[in-house]
Amino acid sequence: MELTEIQLRKLVERVMELTIEMTAGSPKQKALVVLAGSDTERFSKVLQTLKVNEKKDVTVVTSKEQMELEEVGRLVCQWADRIVIPEEVLSTRLEYEEIIFPVMPRDVLAKCALCIPDTYEVMLIQKAFEEGVKVKIAKGGLSKFTGNEPLAYQETILNYIRTLLGFGIEIELDSDTEKR
């Protein structure tokens, strides 16, 4: 079947109309942001970026102990749409398109790479793998080397990072995270 130029143009216009209709009413993407470590400044920037620039529905998972810290409580109340505790998020099906770690402490990084699920962060990552949810880490959220660490130690940590990449975890550049 041959289409005339007018028919093709009408078809393209209709597809564009349907696309606009479908995307206009689409719900916000849901992101789960994990407070791991103690870098509240980075945590704050990521939360703010997700809410202001991306207009995402942001849920924060944080322990009761972390919420008792005044700075953390203030940030979460200011930028999060919802707050969950680790036990809650681990006991239900994940309803998020992505899980974001603004900070990834080395102990969590190593345990994740070695598949040692003895922290809620690692258990959450494993759950995300099982349910097909994207996991993202801010590159600037990875601890930098001081230069005093033995070379073998540095290589081991870099291998853990390669392992996480092999698992499909995305490590984004800071500028990408801040644009998100």
Side-chain angles (χ1 to χ4, degrees):
M1 177 179 148
E2 289 282 323
L3 291 176
T4 65
E5 186 176 337
I6 295 172
Q7 290 173 323
L8 181 60
R9 198 170 282 177
K10 285 183 180 183
L11 181 62
V12 169
E13 287 173 2
R14 182 64 183 140
V15 168
M16 289 172 59
E17 287 172 5
L18 288 172
T19 303
I20 290 170
E21 287 173 15
M22 288 174 30
T23 56
S26 65
K28 292 181 183 179
Q29 265 199 330
K30 294 182 179 183
L32 180 66
V33 180
V34 181
L35 176 54
S38 59
D39 189 344
T40 54
E41 184 178 328
R42 173 169 295 287
F43 180 68
S44 173
K45 283 182 185 176
V46 171
L47 281 179
Q48 185 175 0
T49 301
L50 289 171
K51 288 300 295 174
V52 174
N53 297 347
E54 287 292 319
K55 299 184 180 2
K56 291 189 184 240
D57 182 10
V58 175
T59 300
V60 172
V61 60
T62 181
S63 69
K64 292 175 184 176
E65 295 80 20
Q66 289 170 317
M67 276 302 292
E68 289 175 0
L69 299 172
E70 183 178 341
E71 171 117 8
V72 172
R74 184 181 54 76
L75 291 172
V76 171
C77 290
Q78 182 177 4
W79 298 110
D81 294 302
R82 187 169 167 231
I83 304 164
V84 293
I85 58 173
E87 296 81 12
E88 182 181 348
V89 78
L90 290 171
S91 66
T92 59
R93 180 149 181 80
L94 297 174
E95 56 186 49
Y96 311 98
E97 283 77 30
E98 59 189 3
I99 297 174
I100 301 168
F101 284 81
V103 177
M104 176 64 73
R106 279 193 194 146
D107 62 331
V108 175
L109 181 140
K111 289 177 181 190
C112 185
L114 296 170
C115 302
I116 302 172
D118 65 348
T119 65
Y120 84 84
E121 296 96 341
V122 178
M123 288 187 268
L124 181 59
I125 291 170
Q126 286 182 339
K127 185 175 178 75
F129 290 161
E130 293 167 0
E131 296 185 20
V133 177
K134 288 182 198 173
V135 178
K136 298 179 179 183
I137 302 169
K139 181 179 178 184
L142 298 171
S143 300
K144 294 172 180 45
F145 294 118
T146 65
N148 296 326
E149 299 91 346
L151 185 57
Y153 175 83
Q154 292 179 28
E155 281 300 317
T156 299
I157 298 299
L158 291 173
N159 283 330
Y160 289 158
I161 292 170
R162 287 184 197 100
T163 299
L164 296 184
L165 291 170
F167 289 167
I169 293 176
E170 298 175 24
I171 299 177
E172 298 181 337
L173 298 175
D174 287 343
S175 59
D176 292 344
T177 302
E178 290 176 10
K179 287 178 189 172
R180 294 173 33 62

